[in-house]
Coordinates of all heavy atoms in Angstrom, one line a residue:
R998 N 8.5 13.6 -0.8 CA 7.2 13.4 -1.4 C 6.7 14.6 -2.3 O 5.7 14.6 -2.9 CB 6.1 13.1 -0.3 CG 6.2 11.7 0.2 CD 5.4 11.4 1.5 NE 5.4 10.0 1.8 CZ 6.3 9.4 2.4 NH1 7.5 10.0 2.8 NH2 6.2 8.1 2.7
Q999 N 7.6 15.6 -2.3 CA 7.3 16.8 -3.2 C 7.9 16.6 -4.6 O 7.7 17.4 -5.5 CB 7.8 18.1 -2.6 CG 7.1 18.5 -1.3 CD 7.5 19.9 -0.9 OE1 7.6 20.8 -1.8 NE2 7.7 20.1 0.4
Y1000 N 8.6 15.5 -4.8 CA 9.3 15.2 -6.1 C 8.7 13.9 -6.7 O 8.2 13.0 -6.0 CB 10.8 15.0 -5.9 CG 11.6 16.1 -5.4 CD1 11.7 16.4 -4.0 CD2 12.1 17.1 -6.2 CE1 12.4 17.4 -3.5 CE2 12.8 18.1 -5.8 CZ 13.0 18.3 -4.4 OH 13.7 19.4 -3.9
W1001 N 8.8 13.9 -8.0 CA 8.5 12.6 -8.7 C 9.6 11.6 -8.4 O 10.8 12.0 -8.4 CB 8.4 12.9 -10.2 CG 7.1 13.5 -10.7 CD1 6.9 14.8 -10.9 CD2 5.9 12.8 -11.0 NE1 5.6 14.9 -11.3 CE2 5.0 13.7 -11.3 CE3 5.6 11.4 -11.0 CZ2 3.7 13.4 -11.7 CZ3 4.3 11.1 -11.4 CH2 3.3 12.0 -11.7
I1002 N 9.2 10.4 -8.2 CA 10.2 9.3 -7.8 C 10.2 8.2 -8.8 O 9.1 7.6 -9.1 CB 9.8 8.8 -6.4 CG1 9.8 9.9 -5.4 CG2 10.7 7.6 -6.0 CD1 9.2 9.5 -4.0
P1003 N 11.3 7.9 -9.5 CA 11.4 6.7 -10.3 C 11.4 5.4 -9.5 O 12.0 5.4 -8.4 CB 12.7 6.8 -11.1 CG 13.5 7.6 -10.1 CD 12.6 8.5 -9.3
F1004 N 10.6 4.4 -9.9 CA 10.5 3.2 -9.0 C 10.6 1.9 -9.7 O 10.8 0.9 -9.0 CB 9.3 3.3 -8.2 CG 8.0 3.2 -8.9 CD1 7.3 1.9 -9.0 CD2 7.4 4.2 -9.6 CE1 6.1 1.8 -9.7 CE2 6.2 4.1 -10.3 CZ 5.6 2.9 -10.4
L1005 N 10.4 1.8 -11.0 CA 10.5 0.5 -11.8 C 10.8 0.9 -13.2 O 10.7 2.0 -13.7 CB 9.2 -0.3 -11.7 CG 9.0 -1.2 -10.5 CD1 7.6 -1.8 -10.6 CD2 10.1 -2.2 -10.3
T1006 N 11.2 -0.2 -14.0 CA 11.3 0.0 -15.4 C 9.9 -0.4 -16.0 O 9.2 -1.2 -15.4 CB 12.4 -0.9 -16.1 OG1 12.1 -2.2 -15.9 CG2 13.7 -0.6 -15.4
S1007 N 9.6 0.1 -17.1 CA 8.3 -0.2 -17.8 C 8.1 -1.7 -18.0 O 7.0 -2.2 -17.9 CB 8.2 0.5 -19.1 OG 8.2 1.9 -18.9
S1008 N 9.2 -2.4 -18.3 CA 9.1 -3.8 -18.6 C 8.8 -4.7 -17.4 O 8.5 -5.9 -17.5 CB 10.4 -4.3 -19.3 OG 11.5 -4.1 -18.4
D1009 N 8.9 -4.1 -16.1 CA 8.6 -4.9 -14.9 C 7.1 -5.2 -14.7 O 6.8 -6.1 -14.0 CB 9.1 -4.1 -13.7 CG 10.6 -4.2 -13.6 OD1 11.2 -5.3 -13.7 OD2 11.3 -3.1 -13.3
V1010 N 6.2 -4.4 -15.4 CA 4.8 -4.6 -15.3 C 4.2 -4.9 -16.6 O 4.3 -4.1 -17.5 CB 4.1 -3.5 -14.5 CG1 4.4 -3.5 -13.1 CG2 4.5 -2.1 -15.1
V1011 N 3.6 -6.0 -16.8 CA 3.0 -6.5 -18.1 C 1.5 -6.3 -18.1 O 0.9 -6.5 -17.1 CB 3.4 -7.9 -18.3 CG1 2.9 -8.4 -19.7 CG2 4.9 -8.1 -18.3
R1012 N 1.0 -5.9 -19.2 CA -0.5 -5.7 -19.3 C -1.2 -7.0 -18.9 O -0.9 -8.1 -19.3 CB -0.8 -5.4 -20.8 CG -2.3 -5.0 -21.0 CD -2.5 -4.8 -22.5 NE -1.6 -3.8 -23.1 CZ -2.0 -2.6 -23.6 NH1 -3.2 -2.4 -23.8 NH2 -1.1 -1.8 -24.1
D1013 N -2.1 -6.8 -17.9 CA -2.9 -7.9 -17.3 C -2.0 -9.0 -16.7 O -2.4 -10.2 -16.5 CB -3.8 -8.6 -18.3 CG -5.0 -7.7 -18.6 OD1 -5.4 -6.8 -17.8 OD2 -5.6 -7.9 -19.7
G1014 N -0.8 -8.6 -16.3 CA 0.2 -9.6 -15.7 C 0.3 -9.5 -14.2 O -0.5 -8.8 -13.5
Q1015 N 1.2 -10.2 -13.7 CA 1.4 -10.4 -12.3 C 1.7 -9.0 -11.6 O 2.6 -8.3 -12.1 CB 2.6 -11.3 -12.0 CG 3.2 -11.3 -10.6 CD 2.2 -12.0 -9.6 OE1 1.8 -13.1 -9.9 NE2 1.9 -11.3 -8.5
P1016 N 1.0 -8.6 -10.6 CA 1.3 -7.4 -9.8 C 2.7 -7.5 -9.2 O 3.2 -8.6 -8.9 CB 0.3 -7.3 -8.7 CG -0.9 -8.0 -9.3 CD -0.3 -9.2 -10.1
Y1017 N 3.4 -6.4 -9.1 CA 4.8 -6.4 -8.6 C 4.9 -5.7 -7.3 O 4.4 -4.5 -7.1 CB 5.7 -5.7 -9.7 CG 7.2 -5.8 -9.5 CD1 7.9 -6.7 -10.2 CD2 7.8 -5.1 -8.5 CE1 9.3 -6.9 -10.1 CE2 9.2 -5.2 -8.3 CZ 9.9 -6.1 -9.1 OH 11.3 -6.3 -8.9
R1018 N 5.5 -6.3 -6.3 CA 5.6 -5.7 -4.9 C 6.6 -4.7 -4.9 O 7.8 -4.9 -5.3 CB 5.9 -6.8 -3.9 CG 4.7 -7.4 -3.3 CD 4.0 -6.6 -2.3 NE 4.6 -6.7 -1.0 CZ 5.1 -5.6 -0.3 NH1 5.1 -4.4 -0.8 NH2 5.6 -5.8 0.9
V1019 N 6.2 -3.5 -4.4 CA 7.1 -2.4 -4.3 C 7.0 -1.8 -2.8 O 6.0 -2.0 -2.1 CB 6.6 -1.3 -5.3 CG1 7.3 0.1 -5.0 CG2 6.8 -1.7 -6.7
R1020 N 8.1 -1.2 -2.4 CA 8.1 -0.4 -1.2 C 8.8 0.9 -1.5 O 10.0 0.9 -2.0 CB 8.8 -1.2 0.0 CG 8.7 -0.4 1.3 CD 9.4 -1.1 2.5 NE 8.6 -2.3 2.8 CZ 9.1 -3.4 3.3 NH1 10.4 -3.6 3.4 NH2 8.3 -4.4 3.6
L1021 N 8.2 2.0 -1.2 CA 8.8 3.3 -1.4 C 8.6 4.2 -0.2 O 7.5 4.3 0.3 CB 8.2 4.0 -2.6 CG 8.5 3.4 -4.0 CD1 7.7 4.1 -5.1 CD2 10.0 3.6 -4.3
L1022 N 9.7 4.8 0.3 CA 9.6 5.7 1.4 C 8.9 5.0 2.6 O 8.1 5.7 3.3 CB 8.9 7.0 1.1 CG 9.5 7.8 -0.1 CD1 8.8 9.1 -0.3 CD2 11.0 8.0 0.0
G1023 N 9.1 3.7 2.8 CA 8.5 3.0 3.9 C 7.1 2.6 3.7 O 6.5 2.0 4.6
E1024 N 6.5 2.8 2.5 CA 5.1 2.5 2.2 C 5.1 1.2 1.3 O 5.8 1.2 0.3 CB 4.4 3.6 1.6 CG 4.2 4.8 2.5 CD 3.3 5.9 1.9 OE1 2.3 5.5 1.2 OE2 3.6 7.1 2.0
D1025 N 4.3 0.2 1.7 CA 4.1 -1.0 1.0 C 3.1 -0.9 -0.1 O 1.9 -0.6 0.2 CB 3.8 -2.2 1.9 CG 5.1 -2.5 2.8 OD1 6.1 -2.9 2.1 OD2 5.0 -2.5 4.0
L1026 N 3.4 -1.2 -1.3 CA 2.6 -1.0 -2.5 C 2.7 -2.1 -3.5 O 3.6 -3.0 -3.3 CB 3.0 0.3 -3.2 CG 3.0 1.6 -2.3 CD1 3.9 2.7 -2.9 CD2 1.6 2.1 -2.0
V1027 N 1.8 -2.2 -4.5 CA 2.0 -3.1 -5.6 C 1.7 -2.2 -6.9 O 0.9 -1.3 -6.9 CB 1.0 -4.3 -5.6 CG1 1.3 -5.2 -4.4 CG2 -0.5 -3.8 -5.6
A1028 N 2.5 -2.6 -7.9 CA 2.4 -1.9 -9.2 C 1.8 -2.9 -10.2 O 2.2 -4.1 -10.1 CB 3.8 -1.4 -9.7
Y1029 N 1.0 -2.5 -11.1 CA 0.5 -3.4 -12.1 C 0.1 -2.5 -13.4 O -0.1 -1.3 -13.3 CB -0.8 -4.1 -11.6 CG -2.0 -3.2 -11.4 CD1 -3.0 -3.2 -12.4 CD2 -2.2 -2.5 -10.3 CE1 -4.1 -2.4 -12.2 CE2 -3.3 -1.7 -10.1 CZ -4.3 -1.6 -11.1 OH -5.4 -0.8 -10.9
R1030 N 0.0 -3.2 -14.5 CA -0.4 -2.6 -15.8 C -1.8 -3.2 -16.2 O -1.9 -4.4 -16.3 CB 0.6 -2.8 -16.9 CG 0.3 -1.9 -18.1 CD 1.4 -2.2 -19.2 NE 2.7 -1.9 -18.8 CZ 3.3 -0.7 -18.9 NH1 2.5 0.3 -19.4 NH2 4.5 -0.4 -18.5
D1031 N -2.8 -2.3 -16.3 CA -4.1 -2.8 -16.6 C -4.3 -3.2 -18.1 O -3.4 -3.1 -18.9 CB -5.2 -1.9 -16.1 CG -5.3 -0.6 -16.9 OD1 -4.7 -0.5 -18.0 OD2 -6.1 0.3 -16.5
S1032 N -5.5 -3.6 -18.4 CA -5.9 -4.1 -19.8 C -5.6 -3.0 -20.8 O -5.4 -3.3 -22.0 CB -7.3 -4.6 -19.8 OG -7.6 -5.5 -18.8
E1033 N -5.7 -1.7 -20.4 CA -5.6 -0.6 -21.4 C -4.1 -0.1 -21.4 O -3.8 0.9 -22.1 CB -6.5 0.5 -21.0 CG -8.0 0.2 -21.5 CD -9.0 0.5 -20.4 OE1 -8.9 1.5 -19.8 OE2 -9.9 -0.4 -20.3

């Protein structure tokens, strides 16, 4: 957690599109790209 962690490609999240389920270091998360 002291390092930057790559976790997806930019194309995996689309502006105002479907959130994407992620798990990193055992933590459950979602990634999304907002309207901006």
Side-chain angles (χ1 to χ4, degrees):
R998 285 166 172 81
Q999 294 191 42
Y1000 296 91
W1001 282 94
I1002 300 171
F1004 68 98
L1005 277 177
T1006 66
S1007 297
S1008 60
D1009 285 314
V1010 287
V1011 179
R1012 191 183 301 239
D1013 286 338
Q1015 168 71 54
Y1017 192 103
R1018 269 287 276 117
V1019 170
R1020 181 178 292 148
L1021 289 172
L1022 307 184
E1024 295 189 39
D1025 286 303
L1026 307 159
V1027 295
Y1029 71 98
R1030 189 182 298 274
D1031 73 7
S1032 308
E1033 284 134 43

